Amino acid sequence: MRVLLACCLWLSVFAPPAHAAQVERIEPANWWVGMRHDRVELLVHGKGIAAATPRLSHAGVAIVDVQKTDNPNYLFVTLEIAGDAKPGGFEIAFAEAGKVVATHPWRLDAREPGSAQRHGFDAGDAIYLVTPDRFADGDPSNDSVPGMREAANRANPNGRHGGDLAGIRRHLDYIAGMGFTQLWPTPFLENDQPGYSYHGYAITDLYRTDPRMGSNQDVRALARAAKAKGIGLIMDVVLNHIGSQHWWMRDPPARDWINHGGRFAPTNHRRTAIQDPHAAPADRQAFVEGWFVDAMPDLNQRNPHLARYLIQNTLWWIEYAGLSGIREDTFGYADTQFLSDWAKAVLDEYPDFAMVGEEWSINPAVVAHWQRGKANPDGHVPHMPSMMDFPLNLSLRTALAQADGWNGGVEGGWMPLYEMLANDFLYPDPGRLVVFAENHDSSRLLADLDGDLGLWKVGMAYIATIRGTPQFYYGSEVLLRGPKQRDDGLLRADMPGGWAGDRADAFTGAGLDARQRDAQDYIRALYQWRKRTPLLHAGKLMHFAPADDVYVYFRYDERRSVMVALNKHAQARTLALDRFDRFLRGRSARDALTGKPVALGESLRLPGKSATLLEIE
């Protein structure tokens, strides 16, 4: 009887009450001592958790704010972390009526030395873009994972093929050997969607690597292994939307967490509405708040808790994984003020960090609106250091694919590219833009040019030698082509040699045909030369109006220069050199890729469909 009474007394004092609050997750699960961002708002999720009061006991850490939303299953708990706080783990307790009903572990870590001073990518770098699912399968055991909605099916162009972080890590020597110094994988976070999940842009957990790609620890290991080989890791961040199977969609943290109340309403894609002084407010709203597709719910970054969550998530991944840069997806589609706040928060923490935003517009004025230092008439203050140079990308493809117009008109030949580059006066810092011939969302340049290898080399030479940071898409060095009309599953084809039993192997060269070997050798020589040539990183740029299918420009400083002469005509051209006396008179030259001397007389012969690259001394 006494034992039974004692048990009842213990239960009355320590047992949680009926229907007590629960804790299912806390995000982020840790932070670091010494961060400038030292007030961390924790998202706490669990049934009925809003009825509980959080408590903790750890030297240097204090709870300074607790907020609720209209959903009783969430608390937002702000911790203040003192500069002298000690790293270590501790419990956060949650109490009701004075009784602890739930606990959850949390942790403070020490930062890596020099973390805040990390240097991001710049014009001295060259970026290699990969779609991880299609690059290499380093661990076949995780191709399909029990409990996840989509299994591997390599026969399906739009399915998962099994590429992973282990596959990328296995081929870091190849990437470095090709001359690339930065690695940009498309998103590798969890995409537990029922189909079409391989691309990574429908994220279902912002703090978890997709198990079919690897683990969070594998991301950090990849970054460290890449750094040891002179390669930085760029993370593809998505702030605008999530996947429809994200756990938030089963229990949204607040009614206004997802735009349009969680119901699909498509975006109008009217990106000019942001800057347009005449735009109807409804058009701006439809652009920012509309969804891409019903599988990608659009986030409402005007909710302050969501805004802090997304900012902290970005800071967490930079610190955790040791990133050297961020590529931000669908940049202009998110709330305008939030984008400014987000980028500023990142640069406040990491002043020399690198970020590039995707604004898919052919209008340089639209792209320039988002770059740091731009004085915008509407008062928007941007903090993004770099943007993807879509205007130059589209102009290059147009110029290569069409014949010269009459009288050198803008409607033909090199003139669209020449005149687009002239718009650099719109950008605060055009040298920070990321330039590219193709990416994971476009047809490949080779397809656009109907397989013309000569013109393809011309385009690739342009990207490697013009101002800005070049980005190259995996597999093009071995002439992956895909269809001319965009078909994502086919243009994001498997890298030859990334899977056991492949007939050809891009990494070893086995099974490649003569054209593939030629293309690969060309890209390797081009980017290794770029890597060791500072003029292509920081040299000034002067271009000359195109004539007779030839476009000439120079990268130069006070003593030396690099001459680039692009001939897009099928026939050889004789280029008179008197026009370039400023750079050539009394100088010697050598072929940049072979090192062979080149005579500089009155003229220079340019082979048909070729890029002539000369070092002038």
Side-chain angles (χ1 to χ4, degrees), residues 31-45:
W31 205 249
W32 291 267
V33 178
M35 296 278 283
R36 181 180 176 125
H37 188 95
D38 56 6
R39 291 172 68 96
V40 184
E41 184 176 84
L42 308 182
L43 179 152
V44 183
H45 179 235

PDB file of all heavy atoms in Angstrom, residues 31-45:
ATOM      1  N   TRP A  31      24.143  26.413 -32.677  1.00  0.00           N
ATOM      2  CA  TRP A  31      24.709  27.680 -33.162  1.00  0.00           C
ATOM      3  C   TRP A  31      26.160  27.742 -32.723  1.00  0.00           C
ATOM      4  O   TRP A  31      26.688  26.758 -32.175  1.00  0.00           O
ATOM      5  CB  TRP A  31      23.897  28.869 -32.631  1.00  0.00           C
ATOM      6  CG  TRP A  31      23.990  30.103 -33.505  1.00  0.00           C
ATOM      7  CD1 TRP A  31      24.607  31.280 -33.215  1.00  0.00           C
ATOM      8  CD2 TRP A  31      23.438  30.252 -34.814  1.00  0.00           C
ATOM      9  NE1 TRP A  31      24.474  32.160 -34.266  1.00  0.00           N
ATOM     10  CE2 TRP A  31      23.761  31.550 -35.263  1.00  0.00           C
ATOM     11  CE3 TRP A  31      22.704  29.411 -35.666  1.00  0.00           C
ATOM     12  CZ2 TRP A  31      23.386  32.038 -36.509  1.00  0.00           C
ATOM     13  CZ3 TRP A  31      22.317  29.889 -36.908  1.00  0.00           C
ATOM     14  CH2 TRP A  31      22.667  31.194 -37.318  1.00  0.00           C
ATOM     15  N   TRP A  32      26.818  28.887 -32.977  1.00  0.00           N
ATOM     16  CA  TRP A  32      28.245  28.991 -32.713  1.00  0.00           C
ATOM     17  C   TRP A  32      28.542  30.196 -31.817  1.00  0.00           C
ATOM     18  O   TRP A  32      27.901  31.251 -31.933  1.00  0.00           O
ATOM     19  CB  TRP A  32      29.024  29.141 -34.021  1.00  0.00           C
ATOM     20  CG  TRP A  32      28.993  27.901 -34.842  1.00  0.00           C
ATOM     21  CD1 TRP A  32      29.915  26.891 -34.835  1.00  0.00           C
ATOM     22  CD2 TRP A  32      27.979  27.498 -35.774  1.00  0.00           C
ATOM     23  NE1 TRP A  32      29.552  25.891 -35.702  1.00  0.00           N
ATOM     24  CE2 TRP A  32      28.358  26.240 -36.301  1.00  0.00           C
ATOM     25  CE3 TRP A  32      26.794  28.072 -36.215  1.00  0.00           C
ATOM     26  CZ2 TRP A  32      27.594  25.560 -37.233  1.00  0.00           C
ATOM     27  CZ3 TRP A  32      26.028  27.403 -37.152  1.00  0.00           C
ATOM     28  CH2 TRP A  32      26.426  26.160 -37.651  1.00  0.00           C
ATOM     29  N   VAL A  33      29.526  30.027 -30.969  1.00  0.00           N
ATOM     30  CA  VAL A  33      29.988  31.117 -30.116  1.00  0.00           C
ATOM     31  C   VAL A  33      30.795  32.092 -30.972  1.00  0.00           C
ATOM     32  O   VAL A  33      31.600  31.682 -31.809  1.00  0.00           O
ATOM     33  CB  VAL A  33      30.856  30.580 -28.965  1.00  0.00           C
ATOM     34  CG1 VAL A  33      31.381  31.736 -28.108  1.00  0.00           C
ATOM     35  CG2 VAL A  33      30.075  29.595 -28.106  1.00  0.00           C
ATOM     36  N   GLY A  34      30.570  33.381 -30.749  1.00  0.00           N
ATOM     37  CA  GLY A  34      31.358  34.384 -31.454  1.00  0.00           C
ATOM     38  C   GLY A  34      30.763  34.862 -32.756  1.00  0.00           C
ATOM     39  O   GLY A  34      31.413  35.621 -33.489  1.00  0.00           O
ATOM     40  N   MET A  35      29.542  34.468 -33.061  1.00  0.00           N
ATOM     41  CA  MET A  35      28.878  34.962 -34.262  1.00  0.00           C
ATOM     42  C   MET A  35      28.382  36.389 -34.001  1.00  0.00           C
ATOM     43  O   MET A  35      27.924  36.717 -32.908  1.00  0.00           O
ATOM     44  CB  MET A  35      27.689  34.075 -34.638  1.00  0.00           C
ATOM     45  CG  MET A  35      28.053  32.650 -35.007  1.00  0.00           C
ATOM     46  SD  MET A  35      28.602  32.452 -36.702  1.00  0.00           S
ATOM     47  CE  MET A  35      27.041  32.511 -37.599  1.00  0.00           C
ATOM     48  N   ARG A  36      28.455  37.224 -35.030  1.00  0.00           N
ATOM     49  CA  ARG A  36      27.830  38.547 -34.929  1.00  0.00           C
ATOM     50  C   ARG A  36      26.324  38.394 -34.735  1.00  0.00           C
ATOM     51  O   ARG A  36      25.706  39.147 -33.985  1.00  0.00           O
ATOM     52  CB  ARG A  36      28.146  39.350 -36.185  1.00  0.00           C
ATOM     53  CG  ARG A  36      27.553  40.751 -36.178  1.00  0.00           C
ATOM     54  CD  ARG A  36      27.884  41.508 -37.452  1.00  0.00           C
ATOM     55  NE  ARG A  36      27.235  42.799 -37.468  1.00  0.00           N
ATOM     56  CZ  ARG A  36      27.844  43.967 -37.626  1.00  0.00           C
ATOM     57  NH1 ARG A  36      29.164  43.989 -37.752  1.00  0.00           N
ATOM     58  NH2 ARG A  36      27.167  45.098 -37.656  1.00  0.00           N
ATOM     59  N   HIS A  37      25.744  37.421 -35.438  1.00  0.00           N
ATOM     60  CA  HIS A  37      24.330  37.101 -35.248  1.00  0.00           C
ATOM     61  C   HIS A  37      24.223  36.278 -33.963  1.00  0.00           C
ATOM     62  O   HIS A  37      24.244  35.042 -33.978  1.00  0.00           O
ATOM     63  CB  HIS A  37      23.804  36.305 -36.438  1.00  0.00           C
ATOM     64  CG  HIS A  37      22.318  36.098 -36.430  1.00  0.00           C
ATOM     65  ND1 HIS A  37      21.437  36.915 -37.105  1.00  0.00           N
ATOM     66  CD2 HIS A  37      21.550  35.168 -35.815  1.00  0.00           C
ATOM     67  CE1 HIS A  37      20.201  36.495 -36.920  1.00  0.00           C
ATOM     68  NE2 HIS A  37      20.243  35.427 -36.137  1.00  0.00           N
ATOM     69  N   ASP A  38      24.128  36.977 -32.828  1.00  0.00           N
ATOM     70  CA  ASP A  38      24.183  36.308 -31.522  1.00  0.00           C
ATOM     71  C   ASP A  38      22.828  36.245 -30.824  1.00  0.00           C
ATOM     72  O   ASP A  38      22.739  35.832 -29.670  1.00  0.00           O
ATOM     73  CB  ASP A  38      25.204  36.984 -30.608  1.00  0.00           C
ATOM     74  CG  ASP A  38      24.938  38.471 -30.414  1.00  0.00           C
ATOM     75  OD1 ASP A  38      23.897  38.971 -30.895  1.00  0.00           O
ATOM     76  OD2 ASP A  38      25.771  39.147 -29.783  1.00  0.00           O
ATOM     77  N   ARG A  39      21.783  36.657 -31.514  1.00  0.00           N
ATOM     78  CA  ARG A  39      20.411  36.469 -31.016  1.00  0.00           C
ATOM     79  C   ARG A  39      19.718  35.530 -31.997  1.00  0.00           C
ATOM     80  O   ARG A  39      19.348  35.928 -33.107  1.00  0.00           O
ATOM     81  CB  ARG A  39      19.662  37.799 -30.900  1.00  0.00           C
ATOM     82  CG  ARG A  39      20.203  38.693 -29.794  1.00  0.00           C
ATOM     83  CD  ARG A  39      19.550  40.068 -29.848  1.00  0.00           C
ATOM     84  NE  ARG A  39      18.137  40.020 -29.494  1.00  0.00           N
ATOM     85  CZ  ARG A  39      17.641  40.270 -28.281  1.00  0.00           C
ATOM     86  NH1 ARG A  39      18.456  40.591 -27.291  1.00  0.00           N
ATOM     87  NH2 ARG A  39      16.346  40.227 -28.053  1.00  0.00           N
ATOM     88  N   VAL A  40      19.579  34.300 -31.593  1.00  0.00           N
ATOM     89  CA  VAL A  40      19.104  33.231 -32.475  1.00  0.00           C
ATOM     90  C   VAL A  40      17.667  32.885 -32.125  1.00  0.00           C
ATOM     91  O   VAL A  40      17.366  32.535 -30.973  1.00  0.00           O
ATOM     92  CB  VAL A  40      20.001  31.981 -32.346  1.00  0.00           C
ATOM     93  CG1 VAL A  40      19.550  30.908 -33.335  1.00  0.00           C
ATOM     94  CG2 VAL A  40      21.457  32.337 -32.567  1.00  0.00           C
ATOM     95  N   GLU A  41      16.793  32.991 -33.105  1.00  0.00           N
ATOM     96  CA  GLU A  41      15.391  32.644 -32.878  1.00  0.00           C
ATOM     97  C   GLU A  41      15.171  31.186 -33.259  1.00  0.00           C
ATOM     98  O   GLU A  41      15.334  30.806 -34.416  1.00  0.00           O
ATOM     99  CB  GLU A  41      14.458  33.538 -33.692  1.00  0.00           C
ATOM    100  CG  GLU A  41      12.989  33.249 -33.399  1.00  0.00           C
ATOM    101  CD  GLU A  41      12.043  34.200 -34.116  1.00  0.00           C
ATOM    102  OE1 GLU A  41      11.739  33.942 -35.291  1.00  0.00           O
ATOM    103  OE2 GLU A  41      11.627  35.195 -33.494  1.00  0.00           O
ATOM    104  N   LEU A  42      14.803  30.380 -32.284  1.00  0.00           N
ATOM    105  CA  LEU A  42      14.556  28.960 -32.497  1.00  0.00           C
ATOM    106  C   LEU A  42      13.104  28.731 -32.890  1.00  0.00           C
ATOM    107  O   LEU A  42      12.183  29.237 -32.239  1.00  0.00           O
ATOM    108  CB  LEU A  42      14.868  28.156 -31.240  1.00  0.00           C
ATOM    109  CG  LEU A  42      16.234  28.360 -30.596  1.00  0.00           C
ATOM    110  CD1 LEU A  42      16.380  27.430 -29.395  1.00  0.00           C
ATOM    111  CD2 LEU A  42      17.350  28.134 -31.597  1.00  0.00           C
ATOM    112  N   LEU A  43      12.901  27.975 -33.951  1.00  0.00           N
ATOM    113  CA  LEU A  43      11.564  27.496 -34.282  1.00  0.00           C
ATOM    114  C   LEU A  43      11.363  26.188 -33.534  1.00  0.00           C
ATOM    115  O   LEU A  43      12.088  25.212 -33.766  1.00  0.00           O
ATOM    116  CB  LEU A  43      11.431  27.301 -35.791  1.00  0.00           C
ATOM    117  CG  LEU A  43      10.093  26.777 -36.323  1.00  0.00           C
ATOM    118  CD1 LEU A  43       9.864  27.261 -37.753  1.00  0.00           C
ATOM    119  CD2 LEU A  43      10.037  25.246 -36.314  1.00  0.00           C
ATOM    120  N   VAL A  44      10.404  26.173 -32.621  1.00  0.00           N
ATOM    121  CA  VAL A  44      10.105  24.986 -31.828  1.00  0.00           C
ATOM    122  C   VAL A  44       8.761  24.440 -32.283  1.00  0.00           C
ATOM    123  O   VAL A  44       7.752  25.164 -32.274  1.00  0.00           O
ATOM    124  CB  VAL A  44      10.057  25.312 -30.317  1.00  0.00           C
ATOM    125  CG1 VAL A  44       9.815  24.035 -29.502  1.00  0.00           C
ATOM    126  CG2 VAL A  44      11.336  26.010 -29.876  1.00  0.00           C
ATOM    127  N   HIS A  45       8.746  23.178 -32.685  1.00  0.00           N
ATOM    128  CA  HIS A  45       7.521  22.569 -33.190  1.00  0.00           C
ATOM    129  C   HIS A  45       7.170  21.334 -32.367  1.00  0.00           C
ATOM    130  O   HIS A  45       8.033  20.503 -32.069  1.00  0.00           O
ATOM    131  CB  HIS A  45       7.691  22.169 -34.654  1.00  0.00           C
ATOM    132  CG  HIS A  45       6.471  21.518 -35.245  1.00  0.00           C
ATOM    133  ND1 HIS A  45       6.508  20.288 -35.850  1.00  0.00           N
ATOM    134  CD2 HIS A  45       5.170  21.924 -35.296  1.00  0.00           C
ATOM    135  CE1 HIS A  45       5.291  19.967 -36.283  1.00  0.00           C
ATOM    136  NE2 HIS A  45       4.473  20.944 -35.949  1.00  0.00           N
TER     137      HIS A  45
END
